[in-house]
Amino acid sequence: MLRISNLSVSYASHRVLEDLNVSLKPGSFTALLGSNGTGKSTLLKAMAGLIPSKGSFYHSEHGKLAPQKRGDLVAYMPQDAGATSSLTVLEVILLGRLRSLGMRVPECLQIEASESLASFGLKSLENRTLDEISGGQRQLVYLAQSLFRNPSILLLDEPTAALDLRHQLLVLDRVANHCHRNDTVAMAAMHDISLAAKHADRLICLSQGNIVADGPPEDVLSEPLIRDLYGVEADIIKGSNGTLHITPLRAV
Amino acid sequence: MTIETSTYNEVITEPSAYAKMINRRLFWLFLSIGLLLTFTLTDILVGPAFLNVFDVLDALLMTRENTDPTVYVIVHSIRLPMTLMALIVGASLGIAGVQMQTILGNPLASPYTLGFSAAAGFGAALTILFGIQLPYLPEFTVPVAAFLMACLACGLVYGFAHLRGVTAEIMILAGIATLFLFQSLQSLVQYMASPEVLQEIVFWLFGSMLKATWFSVSVSAGILLIAVIILARNSWKLTALRLGDERARSLGVNVQHLRIKIFFVVSLLTAGAVAFVGTIGFIGLVAPHIARMLVGEDHRILMPLAGLMGALLMVGASIVSKLISPGYVVPIGIVTAVIGVPFLFSLILMRKKSHW
């Protein structure tokens, strides 16, 4: 269990997150929803220990998590597809286990990194450099790197933003399966509500730095909530297999 | 609808693709070592004294008693220190350049960018102008002043970055301001100098291996060795920095701490290189790019290759500087760009993909 208590983050005099309290279960995949600028990325960065924040983080297995201690437990994937460089795809994956790398890279680690790429259908790209592949492929590479780290806490900022429809489904399925199988605490900021409802076990909705709704997708999602969160009128239809489909109709 | 993750699974048939890539990179490393040995020997063999090649080889390989004493003195007291100094300065500037480009995330960065070389030049010019001399060790006055002034420039940039945040942008801004400050002060000193003193200052600023001694060789080599050890221990973190600050931090790298540490190492390397031989341009900018084009961004191989490329360019320039005008040595600082630019251009033209 990861317990976040009284989390507040401010940029200069502007308070972005206000006294948030959240508990996240291992093996659960939580989607973070909210309009632009409501603090989704800020929450993920604060959890990763990348920005200064007030509040405490407590992990049932690892105890109190100081920001500098989180680097070993947390894999955080930023929103953008990343700067290009002449690092190869396989090197990027290997960097996921930075602390295990010495002057020689053990063969077992090379094979594991290669397998990790193969599990995302990226084996053929392993010796290509980051500037030779597309933005979507780069996002897949960074996602593979995040999972290769085998973290206790997985934080993804818009992990499907640069992906095509097929890869969006495959990737979220992969993330959900990974966290269920490895008891990982996973949280992803997302804009596609239908995808979030389909793959996440829990939705947390943020508005102006506060949690306004929290729970399983079928309990949380409602047309008034979407109207309040995004200023959009939407239809919510429940499919035959229980999946919620959200169709945005018009901006209010 | 659930899509099985097995949709993604592929069969791994060739797990050694990475090993093959590393072997290709090591090939460039060993080829450069071979070339450097050849260049080094050639540089020792040529010189303004027109010595017989076999006499020089005798002086190199045999004891003092079995060789011509004049040749022995020329080889051991002049040519060897000059060649070794060219090698060490080239390697130092190549390594300093690659690390500067890495910590500042900028392909135009070099040991010149943050004004260390300009500061060293000002320190030297100042002591030459006022004829200041250290008690007991007058011959070390200029190198010590150059070294201290380069350290002062480093302190200025660090102080500014410490106040405003240790980011690449702030450091570049502070460094360029420092560069202009010391360039202006250098010009002021030159303006104030008499024609004779001005000639001496300009000669120092050109950069020349004629100033090399065994003492300067040992000091610069010691600094290079310490720097290489520190940098090698941080090679994976430096590689991770090429993914950008945020990604490096998310991988557990303390980016600020790393940037400051490498910044001090690079300052020391640059000061150690330029204090004894004067400002040598271009090597610190071009050697890292050549190395990066050949082996990519893995700092375990990139850092030593940038050093080797710097040393190759520098020793190559030293050979050319002796051959341009037989019987006379043109200051090496003048030759480095003339040698390096065509080499860099040809590599850029031959290579199809970008390297930064």
Side-chain angles (χ1 to χ4, degrees), chain B residues 120 142-152 219 223 267-268 270-273 275-276:
Chain B
V142 173
V144 167
F147 189 87
L148 291 178
M149 207 56 84
C151 292
L152 178 70
V219 173
I223 292 175
S267 316
L268 199 65
T270 311
F276 292 108

Side-chain angles (χ1 to χ4, degrees), chain B residues 342-356:
Chain B
F343 190 37
L344 178 70
F345 277 10
S346 56
L347 266 175
I348 293 172
L349 290 173
M350 279 190 300
R351 202 180 147 89
K352 289 188 181 70
K353 50 186 185 180
S354 73
H355 68 284
W356 177 260

Side-chain angles (χ1 to χ4, degrees), chain B residues 2-20:
Chain B
T2 308
I3 295 173
E4 293 299 324
T5 46
S6 59
T7 315
Y8 264 148
N9 288 340
E10 292 174 14
V11 179
I12 294 168
T13 50
E14 207 183 339
S16 62
Y18 179 73
K20 278 185 190 166

Side-chain angles (χ1 to χ4, degrees), chain A residues 235-248:
Chain A
D235 267 349
I236 301 180
I237 302 160
K238 196 164 191 174
S240 53
N241 55 358
T243 317
L244 297 173
H245 298 281
I246 293 89
T247 314

Side-chain angles (χ1 to χ4, degrees), chain A residues 45 50 76 78 80 82 86-87 90-91 95 98 101-103 110 115 118-121 123 126-127 131-132 142 149 166-167 170 173-174 177 198 241, chain B residues 1-3 5 7-10 12 14-15 17-19 21 25 232 235-236 239-240 242-243 246-247 249-253 297-298 300 353-355:
Chain A
K45 283 181 192 173
L50 299 179
Y76 163 73
D80 65 299
S86 52
L87 277 171
L90 193 74
E91 282 167 342
L95 283 171
L98 197 60
L101 299 172
M103 286 317 271
Q110 292 172 32
E115 279 172 350
S119 73
F120 275 87
K123 178 80 173 76
E126 74 176 18
N127 278 345
D131 48 18
E132 290 175 319
Y142 285 122
R149 294 180 68 182
R166 177 173 179 270
H167 283 99
L170 290 169
D173 216 42
R174 184 82 216 278
N177 281 342
K198 177 175 157 44
N241 55 358
Chain B
M1 185 185 74
T2 308
I3 295 173
T5 46
T7 315
Y8 264 148
N9 288 340
E10 292 174 14
I12 294 168
E14 207 183 339
Y18 179 73
M21 186 179 72
R25 291 172 175 181
S235 51
W236 278 110
T239 308
R242 290 292 293 121
L243 294 176
E246 194 171 50
R247 287 189 191 277
R249 288 170 67 203
S250 74
L251 291 170
V253 178
E297 291 282 358
D298 182 342
R300 290 174 304 158
K353 50 186 185 180
S354 73
H355 68 284

